[in-house]
């Protein structure tokens, strides 16, 4: 899926001025709330008319102010999953699902296949009022999917769900990506969702695009850390599952900077995954530690230290081709005399990796 | 007080009054409903210059004395009137001193109530539901028919009920416009008024009053039943 967006729109105090072009199965639109992400997807769907600019999907012009083109939303073949599902309250789940389906069936995914994929069989005759939040969102995904969209927009689809439901829906979205090859634009302010799902990221801030590129590149750029998350900030590595330890339920991953051990995940050996290492989960030792419970000890050289004189400094250590940041106290940095170029050991607990930080990369 | 033998039974005259009242009220609701829907959609879903003026015009019958409306109707829809002449020439439809005129007067008096209720029903719908329908490939008309109107149904039923009840009770505009002609324009309130003008009609008046109450309650019950049905099985009746 190739998406070109170049639009401007005045929205009250926010001046939306967005330009990017990306070719990726799943495009992540990432930024704080209020940065204009929803307005961008609304403009792609045709629900918001930009003041000027162009929107082109796979070569078809959906909007072009210069040429006076503005396709109606129903003519765009673009599915939309809203944050709060927006199911039709007067229709049963079955009729919600069929609302946008082409008459007489046909298309890339059939009714039965969508019901099976999203586990909706038991819900078909129910009314939306009688569904839980997670169920509603699954129906909303199915409804959008059955309209056979060339592109599926998902605007914070997990935001109104609890953590357990989030993981569940996330797995369904991964199935859309991996099994149906459904092109998706995924909007979120949650680092974990974006790094699990997106291949290409557009980072937005206050109505404009700060940076865009492959997800690993964006989330490993030190200069973007203030925007890619303070608490959640860290490195993103692509790794391959090389061994399962059935006795201790651990999985070993190999990446170009070494090996990592994480709680076992249900993945075939050889599968590519993305692992997020939060910098607050990384400690540093200047000598190889002995008698320690931490399973991941990786040696590398310090490339950079971000020290703004506060309590915390961020020390970046080169592992293979990426810099992994470690967040430590400034006092520790000076006691251990850590300077750029120092040889150090990064310590990462195996259990620091949870389901939220390990996701399958698109194959 | 005169006591009549048949006080519990309805005379042929009384039955014809009831049927006429129902006919007038039903006609007024049926013909004003599409217009009220259009007006409510215009007010609830669009922005245009002069919207306040249109809103005020629609509400005039609610605030003007009914006699004034009746007199305006007489001027406009009398056989010499501009609109009356037009309808007679083009459709062969005469309003002056006919039951059709009574229905017209009742329809106009009930119009603001109907528009208000439907508008409230429309405004209670999340416009993003309509946006969602359009991203699913539905054009404006399909969205209207499959999402907007079904969701506005409680408001539409409420509006129709209010207008129906208002029509049953319409007096001032009717008597001014089409007079009080038994069998043609003499609806329940006009018949009751007539009886109060002659001595000794107390029991007949009470009977007609009781019928008025019955009809109104029946209309309420029917609308509540329709409302429940429109929300489907298992749904709460609370909006």
């Amino acid at each position: 899926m190739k998406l070109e967006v170049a639009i401007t729109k005045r929205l009250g105090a926010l001046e939306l001025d967005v330009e990017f072009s990306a070719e990726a199965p799943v495009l992540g639109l990432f930024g704080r709330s209020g940065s204009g992400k929803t307005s961008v997807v609304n403009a792609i769907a045709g629900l918001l008319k930009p003041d000027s600019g162009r929107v082109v999907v796979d070569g078809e012009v959906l909007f072009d102010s210069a040429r006076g083109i503005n396709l109606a939303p129903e003519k765009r073949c673009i599915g939309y999953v809203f944050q709060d599902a927006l199911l039709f309250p007067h229709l049963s789940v079955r009729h919600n699902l069929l609302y946008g389906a082409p008459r007489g069936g046909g298309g890339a995914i059939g009714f039965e296949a969508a019901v099976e994929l999203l586990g909706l069989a038991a819900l078909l005759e129910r009314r939306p009022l009688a569904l839980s939040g997670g169920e509603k969102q699954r129906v909303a995904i199915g409804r959008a999917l059955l309209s056979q969209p060339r592109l599926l927009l998902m605007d914070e689809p997990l935001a109104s769900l609890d953590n357990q439901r989030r993981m569940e829906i996330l797995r369904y979205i991964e199935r859309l990506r991996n099994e149906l090859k459904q092109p998706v634009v995924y909007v979120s302010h949650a680092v974990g969702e974006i790094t699990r799902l997106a291949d290409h990221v557009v980072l937005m801030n206050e109505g404009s695009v700060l940076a865009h590129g492959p997800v690993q590149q964006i989330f490993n750029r030190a200069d973007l850390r203030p925007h890619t998350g303070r608490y959640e900030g860290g490195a993103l590595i692509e790794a391959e599952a090389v061994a399962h330890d059935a006795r201790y339920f651990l999985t070993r991953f190999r990446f170009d900077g070494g090996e990592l051990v994480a709680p076992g995940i249900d993945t075939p050996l050889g599968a590519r995954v993305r692992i997020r290492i939060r910098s607050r989960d990384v400690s540093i030792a200047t000598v190889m530690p002995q008698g320690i419970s931490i399973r991941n000890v990786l040696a590398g050289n310090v490339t950079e230290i971000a020290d703004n004189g506060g309590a915390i400094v961020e020390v970046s250590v080169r592992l293979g081709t990426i810099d992994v940041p470690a967040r430590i106290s400034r006092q520790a940095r000076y006691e251990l005399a850590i300077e750029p170029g120092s040889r150090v050991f990064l310590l990462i607990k195996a259990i620091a990796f949870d389901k939220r930080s390990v996701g399958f990369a698109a194959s | 007080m005169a006591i009549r033998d048949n006080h519990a039974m309805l005379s042929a005259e009384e039955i014809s009054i009831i049927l006429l009242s129902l006919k007038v009220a039903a006609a007024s609701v049926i013909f004003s409903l599409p217009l009220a829907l259009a007006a409510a959609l215009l007010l609830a879903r669009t922005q245009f210059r002069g919207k306040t003026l249109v809103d005020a015009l629609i509400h005039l019958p609610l605030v003007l004395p009914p006699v004034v409306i009746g007199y305006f109707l007489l001027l406009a829809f009398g056989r010499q009137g501009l609109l009356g002449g037009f309808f007679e020439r083009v459709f062969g439809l005469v309003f002056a001193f006919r039951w059709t005129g009574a229905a017209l007067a009742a329809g106009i008096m009930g119009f603001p109530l109907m528009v208000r209720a439907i508008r409230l029903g429309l405004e209670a719908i999340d416009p993003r539901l309509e946006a969602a329908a359009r991203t699913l490939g539905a054009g404006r008309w399909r969205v209207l028919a499959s999402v907007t109107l079904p969701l506005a149904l409680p408001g539409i039923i409420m509006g129709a009920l209010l207008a129906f009840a208002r029509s049953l009770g319409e007096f001032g505009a009717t008597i001014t416009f089409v007079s009080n002609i038994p069998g043609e324009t003499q609806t329940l309130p006009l018949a009751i008024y007539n009886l109060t003008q002659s001595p000794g009609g107390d029991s007949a008046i009470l009977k007609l009053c009781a019928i008025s109450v019955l009809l109104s309650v029946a209309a309420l019950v029917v609308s509540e039943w329709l409302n429940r049905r429109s929300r489907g099985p298992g749904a709460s009746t609370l909006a």
Side-chain angles (χ1 to χ4, degrees), chain A residues 15-89:
Chain A
E15 189 77 63
L16 194 68
D17 186 351
V18 169
E19 187 171 353
F20 63 84
S21 160
E23 192 161 9
V26 177
L27 176 69
L29 216 52
F30 177 75
R32 297 197 184 107
S33 1
S35 58
K37 307 184 294 290
T38 298
S39 302
V40 172
V41 286
N42 281 345
I44 297 170
L47 301 177
L48 178 83
K49 190 181 173 210
D51 296 335
S52 70
R54 284 160 54 82
V55 177
V56 182
V57 174
D58 283 333
E60 189 182 344
V61 179
L62 305 181
F63 177 81
D64 189 338
S65 57
R67 286 157 62 193
I69 296 172
N70 183 20
L71 241 57
E74 63 268 24
K75 299 265 192 292
R76 294 192 177 199
C77 272
I78 289 183
Y80 201 143
V81 176
F82 298 82
Q83 180 177 332
D84 40 0
L86 289 178
L87 300 180
F88 303 124

Side-chain angles (χ1 to χ4, degrees), chain A residues 283-351:
Chain A
S283 307
I284 292 183
T286 48
V287 293
M288 182 72 180
Q290 299 287 316
I292 187 168
S293 71
I294 290 174
R295 296 294 91 189
N296 296 299
V297 180
L298 298 143
N301 290 325
V302 174
T303 52
E304 200 185 346
I305 300 176
D307 183 348
N308 58 13
I312 299 169
V313 296
E314 199 163 89
V315 179
S316 294
V317 177
R318 176 60 56 96
L319 291 180
T321 52
I322 63 159
D323 284 340
V324 175
R327 215 168 279 182
I328 60 173
S329 62
R330 193 152 63 94
Q331 187 199 33
R333 184 226 160 159
Y334 282 106
E335 261 185 38
L336 299 177
I338 296 168
E339 296 296 335
S342 304
R343 180 92 181 150
V344 297
F345 297 91
L346 290 184
L347 314 178
I348 312 159
K349 293 169 71 135
I351 60 159

Side-chain angles (χ1 to χ4, degrees), chain A residues 241-264:
Chain A
V242 290
H244 289 301
D245 180 338
R247 186 163 171 214
Y248 293 113
F249 302 105
L250 294 173
T251 302
R252 185 185 302 281
F253 299 95
R254 183 178 297 136
F255 70 110
D256 63 0
E259 288 194 347
L260 286 174
V261 173

Side-chain angles (χ1 to χ4, degrees), chain A residues 74 78 84 87 90 99-100, chain B residues 128-129 134-136 142 146:
Chain A
E74 63 268 24
I78 289 183
D84 40 0
L87 300 180
H90 58 300
Y99 190 90
Chain B
R128 294 179 313 149
L129 282 172
R134 295 195 68 190
T135 66
L136 291 166
R142 190 177 159 218
S146 64

